[in-house]
Amino acid sequence: MITSLILASALALVPTQVLAADNGLAITPQMGWNTWNKYGCNIDEQLILDAAKSIVSSGLKDYGYNYVIIDDCWQKNKREKNKELLPDPTKFPRGMKALVDDIHDMGLKVGIYSSAGTLTCGGHIASLGYEETDAKTWAKWGMDYLKYDNCYNQGQSGTPKLSYDRYKAMSDALNNTGRPILYSLCNWGEDGPWNFASTIANSWRMSGDIYDNFNRADPACPCETYDCLLPGFRCSVMNIINKAVAVGQKARSGGWNDLDMLEVGNGGMSHEEYRLHYTMWAALKSPLLLGNDVTNMTSETKEIIMNKEVIAVNQDSSYSPAVRMWVKGDQQMFSGNLANNTQVVILLNAGDKAAKMTATWDDIWFYSQPHVDASKSIEVRDLWKKQSLGNFTDRISLDVPAHGVRMIKFMDSAQSS
Ligand SMILES: *[C@@H]1O[C@H](CO)[C@@H](O)[C@H](O)[C@H]1NC(C)=O
Ligand SMILES: *[C@@H]1O[C@H](CO)[C@@H](O)[C@H](O)[C@H]1NC(C)=O
Ligand SMILES: *[C@@H]1O[C@H](CO)[C@@H](O)[C@H](O)[C@H]1NC(C)=O
Ligand SMILES: *[C@@H]1O[C@H](CO)[C@@H](O)[C@H](O)[C@H]1NC(C)=O
């Protein structure tokens, strides 16, 4: 009922767009936890069960983090005689189905990982050419989610058509299982998935892999824009944001730009940098997939990932990613429509010194011009301080910390009729 209401309003808002992968999933960006950023290949059944229990007991589940995703290195490295994949028996001694059942019993959903190649990025057996077999296996285990990578793709990339065909094979295979399985395409932005994947996948990675760093340039992530050839890895938070702004318009309900999993809580960034990271992932409507140790979180980490007003921006029923309205040196300003005529605004300071930043009503409602009423008094709420800042007219100026943001919500629109 709720889903059909949301769907109805999505259709009303975007009447000319086809909803993405037609499986009814990811109406708002998916939320959850993934093993990779913290643990890499060092995973097993106990670690995943402990994380799932903590997601429930810490309250993360109640904030919406409901997918527990098992990333690479779960596989046994040989297909069975009937070609099926099995999990590594030392890591998953009870098999996958028993683990999935346990996690389902906690009220959570479960995800799995493979690659649209002959091997995964970690060098394990992958699914190219075995799409139907593997999709059936995952459905049999009760999987609710697939993250599908791009390693060892045998040269089947380089044109949108090659990438589309390779990823569509798995989309069709998942659909053929009859089980709704959220399809998270992970080809690092190659061949422009925001153009070819929106009808076959629920989300698509738009950049090389994130690493736990705010703005360091790394030779492994040579691209500064979304359209260069080597997406790479070890991409900083600012590198990914600067690429993501260009493709924000391609996101829609059911099909989202994936800025990669979160690093909040992993130790490589300051509290303000993590706040900026989380703010922008939320506002650009990326999936919010935690990548930290959820069994042992500091209060600073919890403060960031358990802010329901910020999460509500990500999950808002207007489905609109915030738009970058201007860049002035290290400073950037974003504005995004929210439901009920409200608006989210982000003042981002990537510089090394605190700064006073100003956004005018004309900046914020640029697309409503000439019908912007600068004399309109509007209440502004600070979503990180969780308090009203009072009413403002014409403009708002706020102190923004170094490598930090102010994330505010306008409780009305300055658009006049
Ligand atoms: C499969 O695709 C059809 C047609 O697009 C859709 O109606 C159906 O819900 C899909 N089923 C699953 C399980 O994804
Ligand atoms: C929990 O995290 C703290 C650092 O925040 C660390 O000192 C401690 O060793 C961790 N405990 C466990 C059991 O991992
Ligand atoms: C919008 O307003 C309606 C009616 O007041 C309310 O039920 C709903 O929760 C609001 N939505 C948001 C996202 O604030
Ligand atoms: C403050 O702004 C709200 C809308 O956000 C408006 O309803 C209210 O009348 C304003 N208050 C004053 C004193 O202007």
Side-chain angles (χ1 to χ4, degrees):
M1 184 60 194
I2 290 176
T3 311
S4 62
L5 277 176
I6 294 172
L7 266 171
S9 68
L11 289 165
L13 277 168
V14 284
T16 56
Q17 290 177 337
V18 177
L19 282 182
D22 192 6
N23 57 12
L25 301 173
I27 299 302
T28 58
Q30 66 265 30
M31 295 175 66
W33 175 80
N34 175 301
T35 52
W36 186 259
N37 280 357
K38 174 74 184 176
Y39 303 102
C41 276
N42 299 317
I43 56 166
D44 61 24
E45 156 169 333
Q46 197 54 50
L47 180 141
I48 292 159
L49 270 177
D50 287 346
K53 284 179 195 155
S54 294
I55 287 167
V56 176
S57 63
S58 64
L60 282 170
K61 174 174 174 255
D62 302 324
Y63 285 82
Y65 301 97
N66 63 344
Y67 285 102
V68 173
I69 301 155
I70 304 165
D71 208 289
D72 203 359
C73 305
W74 58 268
Q75 309 85 342
K76 174 181 166 183
N77 265 325
K78 195 169 178 305
R79 286 185 184 272
E80 300 303 286
K81 283 222 170 61
N82 64 4
K83 305 296 180 203
E84 276 185 22
L85 283 177
L86 283 181
D88 179 335
T90 56
K91 292 176 174 174
F92 298 91
R94 296 187 302 147
M96 269 303 177
K97 174 98 171 52
L99 173 61
V100 172
D101 287 348
D102 286 350
I103 300 175
H104 281 162
D105 286 346
M106 299 178 206
L108 297 167
K109 295 174 186 289
V110 191
I112 192 91
Y113 164 99
S114 192
S115 180
T118 49
L119 296 174
T120 67
C121 300
H124 297 274
I125 287 189
S127 302
L128 187 65
Y130 293 88
E131 291 84 0
E132 292 291 331
T133 305
D134 292 352
K136 271 192 204 117
T137 301
W138 298 324
K140 194 170 69 185
W141 293 342
M143 289 297 171
D144 306 295
Y145 188 114
L146 173 67
K147 172 179 171 183
Y148 203 40
D149 219 328
N150 192 29
C151 283
Y152 298 98
N153 65 31
Q154 305 300 301
Q156 294 182 36
S157 68
T159 70
K161 174 79 172 130
L162 281 171
S163 287
Y164 172 81
D165 288 347
R166 190 163 44 91
Y167 281 96
K168 183 169 188 297
M170 184 56 84
S171 181
D172 290 343
L174 293 174
N175 183 279
N176 289 341
T177 68
R179 184 176 176 84
I181 297 177
L182 195 155
Y183 186 32
S184 157
L185 191 155
C186 175
N187 83 332
W188 326 314
E190 268 188 19
D191 300 327
W194 40 86
N195 287 326
F196 73 75
S198 59
T199 53
I200 59 169
N202 297 110
S203 63
W204 49 87
R205 283 274 306 285
M206 45 53 60
S207 74
D209 289 2
I210 193 171
Y211 81 139
D212 191 8
N213 189 285
F214 179 65
N215 62 0
R216 182 180 166 277
D218 192 290
C221 180
C223 293
E224 295 295 332
T225 55
Y226 72 92
D227 56 349
C228 90
L229 280 178
L230 251 187
F233 56 101
R234 292 203 293 264
C235 298
S236 73
V237 159
M238 283 310 302
N239 175 286
I240 294 175
I241 291 170
N242 286 325
K243 290 170 183 164
V245 292
V247 294
Q249 63 200 293
K250 300 293 185 173
R252 62 193 61 181
S253 178
W256 305 102
N257 289 302
D258 179 355
L259 277 59
D260 205 357
M261 301 165 300
L262 294 157
E263 292 285 7
V264 180
N266 283 337
M269 289 182 248
S270 73
H271 191 49
E272 288 304 335
E273 290 167 348
Y274 278 141
R275 192 197 306 284
L276 181 157
H277 169 29
Y278 194 88
T279 297
M280 294 315 304
W281 264 234
L284 296 175
K285 306 285 153 112
S286 174
L288 295 177
L289 301 170
L290 304 172
N292 60 314
D293 176 359
V294 287
T295 68
N296 182 21
M297 297 183 281
T298 64
S299 52
E300 286 199 331
T301 294
K302 288 186 189 168
E303 188 237 327
I304 291 177
I305 65 179
M306 297 168 114
N307 180 319
K308 64 178 196 303
E309 298 184 52
V310 175
I311 293 171
V313 169
N314 181 253
Q315 301 288 305
D316 187 84
S317 60
S318 73
Y319 313 115
S320 316
V323 175
R324 186 162 75 185
M325 306 308 288
W326 52 252
V327 181
K328 296 174 185 167
D330 287 327
Q331 302 179 2
Q332 308 188 8
M333 195 281 274
F334 297 82
S335 178
N337 299 325
L338 299 175
N340 292 346
N341 230 13
T342 61
Q343 194 83 11
V344 64
V345 169
I346 294 147
L347 303 172
L348 181 156
N349 175 17
D352 296 335
K353 290 199 186 103
K356 185 165 281 273
M357 289 179 63
T358 301
T360 67
W361 281 199
D362 278 343
D363 292 338
I364 296 168
W365 287 280
F366 179 80
Y367 299 116
S368 303
Q369 286 176 10
H371 304 290
V372 175
D373 178 2
S375 70
K376 186 149 169 190
S377 170
I378 306 179
E379 186 185 354
V380 176
R381 189 167 167 81
D382 188 314
L383 299 187
W384 285 115
K385 295 186 194 303
K386 302 180 184 173
Q387 66 188 33
S388 175
L389 300 176
N391 275 50
F392 293 79
T393 303
D394 181 50
R395 64 189 54 223
I396 184 166
S397 297
L398 295 172
D399 294 314
V400 188
H403 294 192
V405 288
R406 297 296 293 273
M407 185 185 203
I408 54 182
K409 179 173 172 181
F410 286 74
M411 306 311 288
D412 199 354
S413 167
Q415 182 174 13
S416 60
S417 44

